[in-house]
Amino acid sequence: MTGGHGFFLGREADGPWDARKAVREQRKAGAACIKLIATGGVLTKGAVPGQDQLSEEEMRAAIGEARTHGMRVAAHAIGTNGIKNALRAGVDSIEHGHLLDDESDRLFKERGAYLVPTLAAVWRIYENIAGGAQPDYVVRKASEIYEHAGENIRKAWLAGVTIAGGSDAGTPYNRHQDYAYEVELMSTVLGMSPQQALTRRPRPPRNCSASTPACWQRARPADLLLLDRDVGADCARCASRAS
């Protein structure tokens, strides 16, 4: 929406037809996946994480257009009502989902949607408050979410919501190469076993995002991780990669 969370990074859209047009523009530019902003967020000044942004009607229109072209759709959603709006509209996944409730859990399971909790994004800010580098509004919002996110998402996991891995890397103190910390948090905060945290359930949710098949070739992606110790008892050891 105009002036919404992350407006400086994406295409602002207002109303169902403009949402459809925005999807068409992104497809023309080469996008294979669409991300919608269903609620406010932490890093945009004035955006309230618990407040709705794109409406269910707007998201439904965007998702309908994306489906026509075989595109997947994710939604940034932190607030309870916005999470449910996005799920009812038909998204494939919810990014963050920190303030979800029991009804949200039911909708996740009914719709077959994935939850990507991005715990590291919140935990990293909270752990570095003493450094004083972040604006007060970022610290305040991250702290409020930190108080509830772990319990809410742990309940969702125990209720059978399918969780996929993702760290929201690029947020403060949250580097792409430190994804092992997200795995650690899925174990220590959500109660997953190390094996579940590493694979984001007994098996990875492979339908959640498009990926290139793995192969033995330099600089190509592969579902292979070499470590210098056994991580079966402690996910924190994932950061100790073998050379």
PDB file of all heavy atoms in Angstrom, residues 1 9 13 21 34 39 59 62 66 82 84 97 101 111 113-114 126 153 170 174 176 215 217 229 232 240:
ATOM      1  N   MET A   1       0.841  -1.183   0.000  1.00  0.00           N
ATOM      2  CA  MET A   1       0.000   0.000   0.000  1.00  0.00           C
ATOM      3  C   MET A   1       0.882   1.240   0.000  1.00  0.00           C
ATOM      4  O   MET A   1       2.064   1.171   0.369  1.00  0.00           O
ATOM      5  CB  MET A   1      -0.921   0.017   1.216  1.00  0.00           C
ATOM      6  CG  MET A   1      -0.221   0.295   2.528  1.00  0.00           C
ATOM      7  SD  MET A   1      -1.380   0.430   3.895  1.00  0.00           S
ATOM      8  CE  MET A   1      -0.518   1.617   4.921  1.00  0.00           C
ATOM      9  N   LEU A   9      11.311  -0.241  -0.963  1.00  0.00           N
ATOM     10  CA  LEU A   9      11.932  -1.407  -1.592  1.00  0.00           C
ATOM     11  C   LEU A   9      11.093  -2.012  -2.709  1.00  0.00           C
ATOM     12  O   LEU A   9      11.617  -2.786  -3.512  1.00  0.00           O
ATOM     13  CB  LEU A   9      12.180  -2.503  -0.539  1.00  0.00           C
ATOM     14  CG  LEU A   9      13.171  -2.187   0.574  1.00  0.00           C
ATOM     15  CD1 LEU A   9      13.166  -3.307   1.606  1.00  0.00           C
ATOM     16  CD2 LEU A   9      14.573  -1.998   0.002  1.00  0.00           C
ATOM     17  N   ALA A  13       0.933  -0.410  -4.053  1.00  0.00           N
ATOM     18  CA  ALA A  13      -0.304  -0.731  -4.775  1.00  0.00           C
ATOM     19  C   ALA A  13      -1.497  -0.430  -3.877  1.00  0.00           C
ATOM     20  O   ALA A  13      -1.468  -0.697  -2.670  1.00  0.00           O
ATOM     21  CB  ALA A  13      -0.322  -2.207  -5.174  1.00  0.00           C
ATOM     22  N   LYS A  21      -2.208  -5.283 -11.368  1.00  0.00           N
ATOM     23  CA  LYS A  21      -1.263  -4.640 -12.282  1.00  0.00           C
ATOM     24  C   LYS A  21       0.161  -4.744 -11.748  1.00  0.00           C
ATOM     25  O   LYS A  21       1.116  -4.970 -12.512  1.00  0.00           O
ATOM     26  CB  LYS A  21      -1.642  -3.183 -12.492  1.00  0.00           C
ATOM     27  CG  LYS A  21      -0.743  -2.469 -13.495  1.00  0.00           C
ATOM     28  CD  LYS A  21      -1.189  -1.026 -13.737  1.00  0.00           C
ATOM     29  CE  LYS A  21      -0.277  -0.355 -14.765  1.00  0.00           C
ATOM     30  NZ  LYS A  21      -0.669   1.056 -14.998  1.00  0.00           N
ATOM     31  N   ILE A  34       6.053 -13.599  -5.825  1.00  0.00           N
ATOM     32  CA  ILE A  34       5.555 -12.302  -5.382  1.00  0.00           C
ATOM     33  C   ILE A  34       5.507 -12.277  -3.862  1.00  0.00           C
ATOM     34  O   ILE A  34       5.058 -13.236  -3.231  1.00  0.00           O
ATOM     35  CB  ILE A  34       4.140 -12.028  -5.942  1.00  0.00           C
ATOM     36  CG1 ILE A  34       4.167 -11.968  -7.475  1.00  0.00           C
ATOM     37  CG2 ILE A  34       3.550 -10.752  -5.359  1.00  0.00           C
ATOM     38  CD1 ILE A  34       4.963 -10.818  -8.052  1.00  0.00           C
ATOM     39  N   THR A  39       1.008  -6.627   6.755  1.00  0.00           N
ATOM     40  CA  THR A  39       0.988  -5.841   7.993  1.00  0.00           C
ATOM     41  C   THR A  39       2.192  -4.908   8.026  1.00  0.00           C
ATOM     42  O   THR A  39       3.102  -5.006   7.204  1.00  0.00           O
ATOM     43  CB  THR A  39       1.058  -6.735   9.257  1.00  0.00           C
ATOM     44  OG1 THR A  39       2.385  -7.273   9.383  1.00  0.00           O
ATOM     45  CG2 THR A  39       0.042  -7.863   9.201  1.00  0.00           C
ATOM     46  N   MET A  59      -5.043  -8.579  -1.539  1.00  0.00           N
ATOM     47  CA  MET A  59      -4.154  -9.742  -1.645  1.00  0.00           C
ATOM     48  C   MET A  59      -4.783 -10.850  -2.477  1.00  0.00           C
ATOM     49  O   MET A  59      -4.091 -11.516  -3.257  1.00  0.00           O
ATOM     50  CB  MET A  59      -3.789 -10.247  -0.248  1.00  0.00           C
ATOM     51  CG  MET A  59      -2.853  -9.314   0.485  1.00  0.00           C
ATOM     52  SD  MET A  59      -2.198 -10.001   2.036  1.00  0.00           S
ATOM     53  CE  MET A  59      -3.623  -9.756   3.119  1.00  0.00           C
ATOM     54  N   ALA A  62      -4.193  -9.984  -6.079  1.00  0.00           N
ATOM     55  CA  ALA A  62      -2.793 -10.185  -6.466  1.00  0.00           C
ATOM     56  C   ALA A  62      -2.476 -11.676  -6.583  1.00  0.00           C
ATOM     57  O   ALA A  62      -1.794 -12.104  -7.531  1.00  0.00           O
ATOM     58  CB  ALA A  62      -1.875  -9.536  -5.432  1.00  0.00           C
ATOM     59  N   ALA A  66      -1.233 -13.847  -9.800  1.00  0.00           N
ATOM     60  CA  ALA A  66       0.001 -14.635  -9.731  1.00  0.00           C
ATOM     61  C   ALA A  66      -0.261 -16.093 -10.096  1.00  0.00           C
ATOM     62  O   ALA A  66       0.535 -16.714 -10.827  1.00  0.00           O
ATOM     63  CB  ALA A  66       0.590 -14.540  -8.327  1.00  0.00           C
ATOM     64  N   GLY A  82      -3.698  -9.579  10.152  1.00  0.00           N
ATOM     65  CA  GLY A  82      -3.074  -9.581   8.834  1.00  0.00           C
ATOM     66  C   GLY A  82      -2.627 -10.963   8.404  1.00  0.00           C
ATOM     67  O   GLY A  82      -2.688 -11.319   7.224  1.00  0.00           O
ATOM     68  N   LYS A  84      -4.124 -13.754   9.222  1.00  0.00           N
ATOM     69  CA  LYS A  84      -5.342 -14.460   8.820  1.00  0.00           C
ATOM     70  C   LYS A  84      -5.887 -13.932   7.498  1.00  0.00           C
ATOM     71  O   LYS A  84      -6.371 -14.714   6.670  1.00  0.00           O
ATOM     72  CB  LYS A  84      -6.377 -14.376   9.944  1.00  0.00           C
ATOM     73  CG  LYS A  84      -5.967 -15.207  11.165  1.00  0.00           C
ATOM     74  CD  LYS A  84      -7.020 -15.243  12.248  1.00  0.00           C
ATOM     75  CE  LYS A  84      -6.945 -14.055  13.151  1.00  0.00           C
ATOM     76  NZ  LYS A  84      -7.711 -14.249  14.410  1.00  0.00           N
ATOM     77  N   GLY A  97       5.068 -14.086  10.969  1.00  0.00           N
ATOM     78  CA  GLY A  97       3.946 -14.724  11.655  1.00  0.00           C
ATOM     79  C   GLY A  97       4.025 -14.672  13.171  1.00  0.00           C
ATOM     80  O   GLY A  97       3.416 -15.492  13.860  1.00  0.00           O
ATOM     81  N   ASP A 101      -2.292 -16.682  16.249  1.00  0.00           N
ATOM     82  CA  ASP A 101      -3.086 -17.251  17.340  1.00  0.00           C
ATOM     83  C   ASP A 101      -3.627 -18.621  16.934  1.00  0.00           C
ATOM     84  O   ASP A 101      -3.261 -19.159  15.878  1.00  0.00           O
ATOM     85  CB  ASP A 101      -4.219 -16.299  17.744  1.00  0.00           C
ATOM     86  CG  ASP A 101      -5.210 -16.035  16.602  1.00  0.00           C
ATOM     87  OD1 ASP A 101      -5.121 -16.686  15.535  1.00  0.00           O
ATOM     88  OD2 ASP A 101      -6.094 -15.162  16.790  1.00  0.00           O
ATOM     89  N   ARG A 111      -5.199 -24.519   4.833  1.00  0.00           N
ATOM     90  CA  ARG A 111      -4.767 -24.006   3.527  1.00  0.00           C
ATOM     91  C   ARG A 111      -3.467 -24.633   3.037  1.00  0.00           C
ATOM     92  O   ARG A 111      -3.044 -24.384   1.907  1.00  0.00           O
ATOM     93  CB  ARG A 111      -4.603 -22.478   3.591  1.00  0.00           C
ATOM     94  CG  ARG A 111      -5.857 -21.741   4.069  1.00  0.00           C
ATOM     95  CD  ARG A 111      -7.058 -22.038   3.202  1.00  0.00           C
ATOM     96  NE  ARG A 111      -8.289 -21.489   3.720  1.00  0.00           N
ATOM     97  CZ  ARG A 111      -8.868 -20.355   3.265  1.00  0.00           C
ATOM     98  NH1 ARG A 111      -8.293 -19.661   2.319  1.00  0.00           N
ATOM     99  NH2 ARG A 111     -10.001 -19.938   3.776  1.00  0.00           N
ATOM    100  N   ALA A 113      -0.504 -23.888   4.032  1.00  0.00           N
ATOM    101  CA  ALA A 113       0.496 -22.826   3.917  1.00  0.00           C
ATOM    102  C   ALA A 113       1.672 -23.083   4.856  1.00  0.00           C
ATOM    103  O   ALA A 113       1.547 -23.789   5.863  1.00  0.00           O
ATOM    104  CB  ALA A 113      -0.141 -21.477   4.234  1.00  0.00           C
ATOM    105  N   TYR A 114       2.811 -22.503   4.533  1.00  0.00           N
ATOM    106  CA  TYR A 114       4.019 -22.637   5.329  1.00  0.00           C
ATOM    107  C   TYR A 114       4.214 -21.400   6.199  1.00  0.00           C
ATOM    108  O   TYR A 114       3.879 -20.286   5.803  1.00  0.00           O
ATOM    109  CB  TYR A 114       5.250 -22.786   4.430  1.00  0.00           C
ATOM    110  CG  TYR A 114       5.263 -24.052   3.615  1.00  0.00           C
ATOM    111  CD1 TYR A 114       4.698 -24.085   2.345  1.00  0.00           C
ATOM    112  CD2 TYR A 114       5.836 -25.211   4.122  1.00  0.00           C
ATOM    113  CE1 TYR A 114       4.707 -25.256   1.596  1.00  0.00           C
ATOM    114  CE2 TYR A 114       5.854 -26.378   3.376  1.00  0.00           C
ATOM    115  CZ  TYR A 114       5.288 -26.396   2.117  1.00  0.00           C
ATOM    116  OH  TYR A 114       5.295 -27.545   1.384  1.00  0.00           O
ATOM    117  N   TYR A 126      17.252  -7.768  19.356  1.00  0.00           N
ATOM    118  CA  TYR A 126      17.055  -7.759  20.808  1.00  0.00           C
ATOM    119  C   TYR A 126      18.387  -7.971  21.546  1.00  0.00           C
ATOM    120  O   TYR A 126      18.659  -7.319  22.563  1.00  0.00           O
ATOM    121  CB  TYR A 126      16.057  -8.841  21.198  1.00  0.00           C
ATOM    122  CG  TYR A 126      15.668  -8.810  22.655  1.00  0.00           C
ATOM    123  CD1 TYR A 126      14.718  -7.916  23.115  1.00  0.00           C
ATOM    124  CD2 TYR A 126      16.260  -9.682  23.564  1.00  0.00           C
ATOM    125  CE1 TYR A 126      14.357  -7.879  24.458  1.00  0.00           C
ATOM    126  CE2 TYR A 126      15.910  -9.658  24.906  1.00  0.00           C
ATOM    127  CZ  TYR A 126      14.956  -8.754  25.341  1.00  0.00           C
ATOM    128  OH  TYR A 126      14.619  -8.720  26.669  1.00  0.00           O
ATOM    129  N   ILE A 153       4.934 -19.155  18.198  1.00  0.00           N
ATOM    130  CA  ILE A 153       5.360 -20.028  17.109  1.00  0.00           C
ATOM    131  C   ILE A 153       5.632 -21.442  17.616  1.00  0.00           C
ATOM    132  O   ILE A 153       5.393 -22.416  16.902  1.00  0.00           O
ATOM    133  CB  ILE A 153       6.580 -19.429  16.377  1.00  0.00           C
ATOM    134  CG1 ILE A 153       6.171 -18.095  15.746  1.00  0.00           C
ATOM    135  CG2 ILE A 153       7.093 -20.369  15.296  1.00  0.00           C
ATOM    136  CD1 ILE A 153       7.305 -17.316  15.138  1.00  0.00           C
ATOM    137  N   GLY A 170      19.849  -9.808   6.238  1.00  0.00           N
ATOM    138  CA  GLY A 170      19.923  -8.444   5.731  1.00  0.00           C
ATOM    139  C   GLY A 170      19.351  -7.449   6.720  1.00  0.00           C
ATOM    140  O   GLY A 170      19.605  -6.249   6.632  1.00  0.00           O
ATOM    141  N   ASN A 174      22.111  -9.512  11.179  1.00  0.00           N
ATOM    142  CA  ASN A 174      21.590 -10.806  10.721  1.00  0.00           C
ATOM    143  C   ASN A 174      22.134 -11.092   9.324  1.00  0.00           C
ATOM    144  O   ASN A 174      21.503 -10.768   8.321  1.00  0.00           O
ATOM    145  CB  ASN A 174      20.054 -10.745  10.720  1.00  0.00           C
ATOM    146  CG  ASN A 174      19.400 -12.074  10.429  1.00  0.00           C
ATOM    147  OD1 ASN A 174      20.022 -13.128  10.530  1.00  0.00           O
ATOM    148  ND2 ASN A 174      18.136 -12.022  10.053  1.00  0.00           N
ATOM    149  N   HIS A 176      23.641 -13.208   5.998  1.00  0.00           N
ATOM    150  CA  HIS A 176      23.273 -14.400   5.223  1.00  0.00           C
ATOM    151  C   HIS A 176      24.091 -15.610   5.649  1.00  0.00           C
ATOM    152  O   HIS A 176      23.564 -16.726   5.755  1.00  0.00           O
ATOM    153  CB  HIS A 176      23.476 -14.141   3.723  1.00  0.00           C
ATOM    154  CG  HIS A 176      22.463 -13.208   3.139  1.00  0.00           C
ATOM    155  ND1 HIS A 176      21.250 -13.640   2.667  1.00  0.00           N
ATOM    156  CD2 HIS A 176      22.489 -11.864   2.969  1.00  0.00           C
ATOM    157  CE1 HIS A 176      20.557 -12.598   2.210  1.00  0.00           C
ATOM    158  NE2 HIS A 176      21.283 -11.524   2.388  1.00  0.00           N
ATOM    159  N   CYS A 215      23.641 -30.421  -7.734  1.00  0.00           N
ATOM    160  CA  CYS A 215      24.548 -31.231  -8.539  1.00  0.00           C
ATOM    161  C   CYS A 215      25.970 -31.009  -8.027  1.00  0.00           C
ATOM    162  O   CYS A 215      26.252 -30.017  -7.355  1.00  0.00           O
ATOM    163  CB  CYS A 215      24.443 -30.875 -10.018  1.00  0.00           C
ATOM    164  SG  CYS A 215      24.897 -29.185 -10.415  1.00  0.00           S
ATOM    165  N   GLN A 217      28.967 -29.628  -8.660  1.00  0.00           N
ATOM    166  CA  GLN A 217      29.637 -28.685  -9.556  1.00  0.00           C
ATOM    167  C   GLN A 217      29.964 -27.428  -8.765  1.00  0.00           C
ATOM    168  O   GLN A 217      29.155 -26.963  -7.963  1.00  0.00           O
ATOM    169  CB  GLN A 217      28.730 -28.336 -10.742  1.00  0.00           C
ATOM    170  CG  GLN A 217      29.390 -27.457 -11.791  1.00  0.00           C
ATOM    171  CD  GLN A 217      28.477 -27.248 -12.993  1.00  0.00           C
ATOM    172  OE1 GLN A 217      27.620 -28.074 -13.276  1.00  0.00           O
ATOM    173  NE2 GLN A 217      28.655 -26.155 -13.692  1.00  0.00           N
ATOM    174  N   ARG A 229      31.948 -31.625  13.339  1.00  0.00           N
ATOM    175  CA  ARG A 229      31.507 -32.306  14.557  1.00  0.00           C
ATOM    176  C   ARG A 229      30.049 -32.729  14.399  1.00  0.00           C
ATOM    177  O   ARG A 229      29.358 -32.292  13.493  1.00  0.00           O
ATOM    178  CB  ARG A 229      31.683 -31.398  15.762  1.00  0.00           C
ATOM    179  CG  ARG A 229      30.826 -30.147  15.721  1.00  0.00           C
ATOM    180  CD  ARG A 229      31.293 -29.119  16.719  1.00  0.00           C
ATOM    181  NE  ARG A 229      32.552 -28.541  16.297  1.00  0.00           N
ATOM    182  CZ  ARG A 229      33.272 -27.694  17.016  1.00  0.00           C
ATOM    183  NH1 ARG A 229      32.873 -27.383  18.235  1.00  0.00           N
ATOM    184  NH2 ARG A 229      34.389 -27.179  16.562  1.00  0.00           N
ATOM    185  N   GLY A 232      24.040 -33.658  16.244  1.00  0.00           N
ATOM    186  CA  GLY A 232      22.860 -34.362  16.700  1.00  0.00           C
ATOM    187  C   GLY A 232      22.348 -33.948  18.044  1.00  0.00           C
ATOM    188  O   GLY A 232      21.171 -34.109  18.359  1.00  0.00           O
ATOM    189  N   SER A 240      30.021 -24.516  12.878  1.00  0.00           N
ATOM    190  CA  SER A 240      31.387 -25.010  12.744  1.00  0.00           C
ATOM    191  C   SER A 240      31.526 -25.807  11.456  1.00  0.00           C
ATOM    192  O   SER A 240      31.560 -27.027  11.459  1.00  0.00           O
ATOM    193  CB  SER A 240      31.744 -25.894  13.954  1.00  0.00           C
ATOM    194  OG  SER A 240      31.587 -25.162  15.149  1.00  0.00           O
TER     195      SER A 240
END
